[in-house]
Amino acid sequence: MEASLADLKQRLGEIDDLQRTQLLLAWDTEVWMPPSGESSRAAHLATLETIVHERQIDDRIGELIDDVEPYTATLPADADDACLVRAARRLWEKKRRIPTDLAAETAGAKVESYQAWVKAREEENFAGFRPSLERMLELQRRLIECFAPYDDPYDVVLDNYEEGTKTEDVRMVFAALQPEITALVAEHASEGDEDGFLRGPFAIATQEALSRELIERFGATWDAFRLDLTVHPFAAPVGLNDIRLTTRYGEDDLNSLFTAMHECGHGIYEWGSAPSLERTPLQGGAASSALHESQSRLWENVVGRSLPFWRWFYPRVQAAFPALADVSLERFHRAVNRPHRSFVRVDADETSYGLHVILRFELEQELLSGKLAVRDLPDAWNARFTELIGLEVPNDTVGVLQDTHWASGLFGYFPTYLLGSVLSVQIWEGAREVLPDVEEQIERGEFAELHGWLRENLYALGSKFTPAETIERVVGGPIDPQPYLRYLRDKLSAVAAGS
Amino acid sequence: MEASLADLKQRLGEIDDLQRTQLLLAWDTEVWMPPSGESSRAAHLATLETIVHERQIDDRIGELIDDVEPYTATLPADADDACLVRAARRLWEKKRRIPTDLAAETAGAKVESYQAWVKAREEENFAGFRPSLERMLELQRRLIECFAPYDDPYDVVLDNYEEGTKTEDVRMVFAALQPEITALVAEHASEGDEDGFLRGPFAIATQEALSRELIERFGATWDAFRLDLTVHPFAAPVGLNDIRLTTRYGEDDLNSLFTAMHECGHGIYEWGSAPSLERTPLQGGAASSALHESQSRLWENVVGRSLPFWRWFYPRVQAAFPALADVSLERFHRAVNRPHRSFVRVDADETSYGLHVILRFELEQELLSGKLAVRDLPDAWNARFTELIGLEVPNDTVGVLQDTHWASGLFGYFPTYLLGSVLSVQIWEGAREVLPDVEEQIERGEFAELHGWLRENLYALGSKFTPAETIERVVGGPIDPQPYLRYLRDKLSAVAAGS
């Protein structure tokens, strides 16, 4: 039995090595690869995907799991080895349903599709991306069919990011959120140009220095972190102590500060995983994209848009950008919280952001079920966008082409952003109960206790438990949209009262 | 048979994908990886090495080669498939001698050893590197034993970089070179500070712009190339159209211009490989490090230190660095060619460079045979350095710790640098016969015909033939030290006559 457990861990460790190698290649593809490297990179990724998949579905993994389950069943349910073998069993049974050639074809298609998306986006031309998106959807549908029968095709893709969560559950949470968010946006959205000072110009080198300062203050260290530039920011945990954050800068906004806090949240979640979980499927927060997003949102929004935070950081930002010298703290704080109708999800305010997610959640269900054809997608996007956000989309680059997700094969991922926002407030309220002076600490630019509490109570768990189990452990109950709605209402009322 | 050939190519293609993935990881390790990423990177590289090795020695590869050899034996000897199957046979038989766990252990040890070397070098402390070097040598000896019986242990490591070349052949070439080079250095070496203007300061941003200009002029394009910073410059062909060059800059010298030309030579060799060889063991110049080095040397030295080249480029360098305004072309050209006794190989002049190589060739033979213990290496280095170059080594950082090669497990590699210099002149003379006005072209900053001739006659061949066969094809005879000695003598005489 001991030999079997060691053999199983060795095999899972090698799979983890290959997956983190894939992450490095994906990071390099978006950060440094010269454009003509595309075709060889597609081959490299396809070969790695083939090997990962062959190894994941190896009969021997199943035999080893059979060997060790009688032993791990005797362990406490939260013992690392018990959690590992449960996760290994689930992954093995899930992956065995996907043929290796389909997995490899999907990996190769993602690289080409990403490049087609970049080009189409530059050219404001959805037609150039359409064949790639059709191919990605065709591959997704073939992947979904591997899991027939299912209640809803979307359940299959959602399970990749949120184990055990059903589409119907998400619909219910979003049904509670959408009318309330719509009402908050209608009540509070900026109609004029009161916040025009947020359009800069803000020198990019200064934005970068401030971004790095925030990442350091939140507790990340550069011996284990990097920050680079990409079209679409992300965090890639290449190793437990090798975390690659990416961002982007625009001279005419300060979004980069929020992006830095957001990606840092993802990064420190991965970095905080217990070392005992390294090189296992339990390392990091892969089991739940919503919990992952709860941490990017907690640091970006719940902390990073709070009045205590800006009491500490605004004087630094004012000193860095003299154009803000005459803008009061209250006015700045209101501006970075006030809803405003906008086209691009990642530039959206915290409140209307949810509506951008709901749009994508609806459309990708229709794309996957075949109810909506790719050729009709831009029209469907634009029509539903106008209903939800109240603006007419001027071109596809700020419309249907704005996100990399579908180009990269990420279907079923979008709802986790909004679920993450909901969870971020539940988790924050849990932390505040234990750390009653956390807001005073933030006002002093001190984040160590908050980071420490989150690390101990959430990050260290990695993916030992299912998302629902982890949520139960951290917040003492299931996901609940009400604290998030209360938080938005309270903040927007306070901001409005100050104006 | 057709199915077997396709299967063989698919398997070799996947191995190539994994090896280029290893190259990307190695590049990233030296260019971007945060330092704490070291331990996970070692695991990733060890896993890749294990998989590559398992696949290289797979019984099925041998069976497929058996299947297709009767067919490829009927093809012309220079047909791609005939060359491919010959190379596959040789690699398979060679790799099967190395146990997989030894291959993986070596890959992991290289990462740790490299980091220990970086640290020891910073601290001018050989003792900190000694355990790592001892481990690398122990692993090398175990690798060599896999190839017993052998005439000379050094033959085994040399064969990794120069297939079929024997240590005794190298000794004979070097025996012809060493006394002549020593005499040339004695006759021409700068003793005073006539060339002090080469110590700058030269702004690094300007050096980078000039480096990029040279790389572009030689014909590389940024859609397929990158240029980044490392401690020790190298070229990594991550894909046929994804070539990563690295360099370094110092404010007090212009070596970066020669480094850029050098690494560009390696890069365009790989880039020029016939597309039909892509994703096979024949892609690029891996079969002969000496031929590879002949191209870095041809562009760096034969072209890049010639008077016609500087007639074109010196006005630009003068315009970029006003400190050179009063330095004549002749004086500058003499300075970048004049021998000078120096400690660091990569900063050495073209002539005395060979003596640095001969030192390493001698010492690594003694390390591998066990005649020299690692603890005695610094003393042995310093003593022989004084004999060959005539200087007392002040510390290990500019002595035995200056090169990454041994730290990275590259034993048997050094002699290929000097063999490359020898070949560079033979190949240059071949090109000049066909392109009689090549020097006039260079004087106009035009390199396309030279690049084109080299691409057609050498780069496109990739590793289809053995090094000896390729040399025979390109220069019409075997390696011969005399043209190189004649070239050095002629240049140094001309330079001296101008002074």
Side-chain angles (χ1 to χ4, degrees):
Chain A
M1 197 296 304
E2 270 177 40
S4 292
L5 188 57
D7 190 356
L8 179 62
K9 286 181 179 177
Q10 173 63 20
R11 286 164 189 266
L12 296 175
E14 289 179 359
I15 291 169
D16 187 69
D17 290 333
L18 293 169
Q19 289 177 317
R20 291 185 193 276
T21 297
Q22 289 176 295
L23 267 184
L24 182 78
L25 265 62
W27 173 86
D28 178 83
T29 301
E30 302 202 23
V31 181
W32 302 119
M33 185 184 77
S36 295
E38 179 192 338
S39 66
S40 55
R41 180 57 48 86
H44 304 164
L45 283 169
T47 290
L48 285 168
E49 185 63 27
T50 302
I51 296 171
V52 164
H53 194 257
E54 279 170 4
R55 288 177 169 235
Q56 284 178 322
I57 64 169
D58 191 339
D59 290 342
R60 188 69 193 134
I61 296 251
E63 292 163 13
L64 291 167
I65 293 171
D66 288 343
D67 283 355
V68 300
E69 271 176 341
Y71 160 71
T72 54
T74 69
L75 299 174
D78 63 353
D80 282 358
D81 285 347
C83 295
L84 175 63
V85 172
R86 272 200 307 273
R89 160 72 69 194
R90 178 175 177 276
L91 275 171
W92 185 74
E93 293 193 340
K94 185 164 178 172
K95 293 294 179 183
R96 277 171 76 85
R97 294 189 178 223
I98 304 168
T100 297
D101 57 353
L102 179 54
E105 194 182 342
T106 305
K110 282 177 191 175
V111 178
E112 286 156 42
S113 163
Y114 175 80
Q115 303 283 349
W117 168 75
V118 169
K119 191 155 175 286
R121 197 168 182 260
E122 282 167 9
E123 297 172 354
E124 297 191 2
N125 173 23
F126 179 80
F129 175 51
R130 188 179 138 187
S132 301
L133 181 55
E134 281 169 346
R135 184 167 172 225
M136 291 308 294
L137 273 169
E138 166 59 23
L139 290 164
Q140 287 296 313
R141 285 201 205 95
R142 282 165 58 196
L143 288 166
I144 289 169
E145 284 319 304
C146 303
F147 294 87
Y150 42 75
D151 292 334
D152 185 320
Y154 198 84
D155 283 350
V156 177
V157 294
L158 184 59
D159 195 77
N160 293 328
Y161 308 107
E162 215 52 38
E163 178 191 341
T165 302
K166 297 296 174 194
T167 312
E168 190 51 34
D169 302 335
V170 179
R171 280 194 205 112
M172 283 174 60
V173 173
F174 286 8
L177 294 173
Q178 192 253 307
E180 299 274 348
I181 295 175
T182 298
L184 284 168
V185 172
E187 184 181 355
H188 294 281
S190 156
E191 299 296 340
D193 195 28
E194 311 91 326
D195 304 331
F197 56 85
L198 277 186
R199 287 203 302 272
F202 304 110
I204 284 174
T206 313
Q207 291 189 51
E208 189 186 341
L210 290 170
S211 297
R212 290 184 180 273
E213 184 183 354
L214 287 172
I215 291 166
E216 288 165 25
R217 278 288 181 147
F218 286 179
T221 56
W222 299 115
D223 69 298
F225 280 73
R226 288 193 53 82
L227 179 67
D228 297 288
L229 281 176
T230 43
V231 173
H232 190 90
F234 61 93
V238 172
L240 183 58
N241 293 297
D242 185 352
I243 310 283
R244 316 274 173 119
L245 311 180
T246 74
T247 190
R248 61 178 166 195
Y249 303 99
E251 281 222 317
D252 54 357
D253 62 62
L254 283 178
N255 295 342
S256 68
L257 301 183
F258 300 97
T259 300
M261 295 191 272
H262 182 102
E263 301 306 337
C264 182
H266 284 304
I268 61 179
Y269 190 174
E270 290 289 325
W271 193 40
S273 187
S276 61
L277 307 178
E278 196 176 3
R279 292 185 80 228
T280 76
L282 308 183
Q283 179 185 337
S288 166
S289 297
L291 276 165
H292 229 301
E293 199 65 16
S294 80
Q295 293 314 294
S296 54
R297 301 278 151 186
L298 186 149
W299 290 100
E300 174 194 355
N301 290 335
V302 185
V303 170
R305 294 184 199 269
S306 71
L307 194 55
F309 173 85
W310 286 105
R311 284 203 185 104
W312 163 65
F313 200 59
Y314 190 55
R316 307 170 112 72
V317 173
Q318 272 189 313
F321 301 116
L324 295 174
D326 296 331
V327 179
S328 70
L329 169 65
E330 289 67 30
R331 218 175 133 207
F332 184 86
H333 178 248
R334 185 161 58 241
V336 299
N337 280 290
R338 175 153 39 200
H340 56 90
R341 296 181 173 89
S342 67
F343 297 108
V344 176
R345 175 181 60 84
V346 297
D347 297 340
D349 63 277
E350 182 179 6
T351 307
S352 69
Y353 188 94
L355 302 175
H356 291 263
V357 170
I358 289 168
L359 167 71
R360 288 154 176 80
F361 173 60
E362 292 174 357
L363 291 175
E364 65 184 8
Q365 289 177 69
E366 293 181 14
L367 285 169
L368 288 170
S369 70
K371 202 174 138 191
L372 177 64
V374 171
R375 71 170 168 278
D376 299 324
L377 174 61
D379 287 344
W381 176 287
N382 295 346
R384 184 67 177 138
F385 189 89
T386 303
E387 287 171 14
L388 281 168
I389 319 278
L391 296 175
E392 299 281 336
V393 177
N395 65 64
D396 292 337
T397 296
V398 298
V400 69
L401 286 174
Q402 68 183 270
D403 293 304
T404 184
H405 298 60
W406 295 338
S408 303
L410 293 172
F411 295 89
Y413 192 96
F414 279 120
T416 68
Y417 288 132
L418 186 49
L419 297 173
S421 294
V422 168
L423 285 167
S424 72
V425 175
Q426 291 181 269
I427 293 168
W428 164 255
E429 292 185 349
R432 202 172 45 184
E433 262 177 45
V434 184
L435 308 170
D437 65 338
V438 65
E439 287 175 306
E440 287 78 13
Q441 293 177 26
I442 290 172
E443 201 166 321
R444 295 193 300 269
E446 294 167 11
F447 304 94
E449 284 200 22
L450 177 59
H451 185 164
W453 186 87
L454 291 165
R455 179 179 275 241
E456 189 180 329
N457 291 280
L458 176 58
Y459 305 169
L461 303 182
S463 292
K464 285 178 70 170
F465 308 106
T466 67
E469 287 165 354
T470 304
I471 293 167
E472 177 71 35
R473 275 175 180 262
V474 180
V475 304
I479 189 165
D480 175 3
Q482 293 312 320
Y484 177 62
L485 285 171
R486 197 163 57 231
Y487 153 89
L488 284 181
R489 271 187 230 114
D490 289 352
K491 179 152 67 168
L492 293 177
S493 301
V495 157
S499 63
Chain B
M1 198 295 305
E2 267 177 41
S4 293
L5 188 56
D7 189 356
L8 178 64
K9 286 180 179 178
Q10 173 63 17
R11 285 163 189 268
L12 297 174
E14 289 179 358
I15 291 168
D16 186 70
D17 290 333
L18 293 168
Q19 289 176 317
R20 292 186 193 274
T21 297
Q22 288 176 296
L23 267 184
L24 182 78
L25 265 63
W27 172 86
D28 179 82
T29 301
E30 303 201 23
V31 181
W32 302 119
M33 187 184 75
S36 294
E38 180 192 336
S39 65
S40 55
R41 180 56 49 85
H44 304 165
L45 283 168
T47 290
L48 285 169
E49 186 63 27
T50 302
I51 296 171
V52 164
H53 194 257
E54 280 170 3
R55 288 178 170 236
Q56 282 178 323
I57 64 171
D58 190 339
D59 291 342
R60 188 67 192 134
I61 297 252
E63 291 164 13
L64 291 168
I65 293 171
D66 289 342
D67 282 355
V68 300
E69 272 177 341
Y71 159 70
T72 54
T74 68
L75 298 173
D78 64 352
D80 284 357
D81 286 346
C83 296
L84 175 63
V85 172
R86 273 200 307 274
R89 158 74 66 195
R90 176 175 180 277
L91 275 170
W92 184 75
E93 293 191 342
K94 185 162 180 174
K95 293 294 177 181
R96 276 171 78 86
R97 296 192 178 218
I98 304 168
T100 298
D101 56 353
L102 179 55
E105 195 182 341
T106 305
K110 282 177 192 177
V111 177
E112 286 156 40
S113 165
Y114 174 80
Q115 302 284 345
W117 167 75
V118 169
K119 192 158 174 287
R121 196 169 185 260
E122 281 167 10
E123 297 171 354
E124 296 190 4
N125 174 24
F126 179 80
F129 175 52
R130 187 179 137 189
S132 301
L133 180 56
E134 281 168 345
R135 184 166 174 224
M136 291 309 295
L137 273 168
E138 165 59 23
L139 289 165
Q140 287 296 313
R141 287 202 203 92
R142 283 164 58 196
L143 287 166
I144 288 169
E145 283 319 304
C146 302
F147 294 88
Y150 41 76
D151 293 333
D152 187 318
Y154 198 84
D155 283 350
V156 177
V157 294
L158 184 60
D159 194 77
N160 293 329
Y161 309 108
E162 215 51 38
E163 179 191 342
T165 301
K166 297 295 173 196
T167 312
E168 190 50 36
D169 302 335
V170 179
R171 279 193 206 112
M172 284 174 59
V173 173
F174 286 8
L177 294 174
Q178 192 253 307
E180 298 274 350
I181 294 175
T182 298
L184 284 169
V185 172
E187 184 180 351
H188 294 281
S190 156
E191 299 294 341
D193 196 27
E194 311 92 325
D195 305 331
F197 56 85
L198 277 185
R199 287 203 302 274
F202 304 109
I204 284 173
T206 313
Q207 291 188 52
E208 189 188 340
L210 291 169
S211 297
R212 289 182 182 274
E213 184 183 354
L214 287 172
I215 291 166
E216 288 165 25
R217 279 287 182 151
F218 286 180
T221 55
W222 300 114
D223 69 299
F225 280 72
R226 289 193 53 83
L227 179 68
D228 297 288
L229 281 176
T230 44
V231 173
H232 190 91
F234 61 92
V238 173
L240 183 57
N241 293 296
D242 184 353
I243 309 285
R244 314 276 174 118
L245 312 180
T246 75
T247 189
R248 61 178 165 195
Y249 303 100
E251 280 221 318
D252 53 356
D253 62 61
L254 284 179
N255 295 343
S256 68
L257 302 183
F258 299 97
T259 300
M261 294 191 274
H262 182 102
E263 300 306 338
C264 182
H266 284 305
I268 60 179
Y269 191 174
E270 290 289 326
W271 191 41
S273 186
S276 62
L277 306 177
E278 195 177 3
R279 292 185 79 229
T280 77
L282 309 183
Q283 179 186 336
S288 165
S289 297
L291 276 165
H292 228 301
E293 199 66 14
S294 79
Q295 292 317 292
S296 54
R297 301 276 150 189
L298 186 148
W299 289 99
E300 174 194 354
N301 290 335
V302 185
V303 170
R305 293 184 199 270
S306 71
L307 195 54
F309 173 85
W310 286 105
R311 286 204 184 103
W312 164 65
F313 201 59
Y314 190 56
R316 306 170 111 73
V317 172
Q318 272 189 313
F321 301 117
L324 295 174
D326 296 333
V327 179
S328 70
L329 169 65
E330 289 66 29
R331 219 174 134 209
F332 183 87
H333 178 248
R334 183 160 61 244
V336 299
N337 281 290
R338 174 149 45 196
H340 55 92
R341 297 181 173 88
S342 66
F343 297 108
V344 177
R345 175 182 59 85
V346 298
D347 298 340
D349 63 276
E350 182 179 5
T351 306
S352 70
Y353 188 95
L355 302 175
H356 291 262
V357 171
I358 289 168
L359 167 70
R360 288 153 178 79
F361 174 61
E362 292 175 358
L363 291 176
E364 64 183 10
Q365 289 178 70
E366 294 182 12
L367 285 170
L368 287 170
S369 70
K371 203 174 139 193
L372 177 62
V374 171
R375 69 170 169 277
D376 300 324
L377 174 61
D379 287 346
W381 176 288
N382 296 346
R384 186 67 177 136
F385 189 90
T386 303
E387 287 172 14
L388 281 168
I389 320 276
L391 296 174
E392 298 282 337
V393 177
N395 65 62
D396 293 336
T397 297
V398 298
V400 68
L401 285 174
Q402 68 184 269
D403 292 305
T404 184
H405 299 62
W406 296 338
S408 304
L410 293 172
F411 295 89
Y413 193 95
F414 279 121
T416 68
Y417 289 133
L418 186 49
L419 297 175
S421 294
V422 169
L423 285 168
S424 72
V425 175
Q426 291 183 268
I427 293 168
W428 164 256
E429 292 185 349
R432 203 174 42 186
E433 261 177 47
V434 185
L435 308 171
D437 66 338
V438 64
E439 287 174 305
E440 287 78 14
Q441 293 176 25
I442 291 173
E443 202 166 320
R444 295 192 301 269
E446 295 166 11
F447 305 93
E449 283 199 22
L450 177 59
H451 185 163
W453 186 89
L454 291 165
R455 178 178 276 241
E456 188 179 332
N457 290 281
L458 177 57
Y459 307 169
L461 302 182
S463 292
K464 285 179 69 170
F465 308 106
T466 67
E469 287 166 353
T470 305
I471 293 166
E472 175 70 36
R473 274 176 180 262
V474 179
V475 304
I479 190 164
D480 174 3
Q482 294 312 321
Y484 177 62
L485 285 170
R486 196 163 58 231
Y487 152 90
L488 285 182
R489 273 187 229 111
D490 290 351
K491 179 151 68 170
L492 293 176
S493 301
V495 158
S499 64

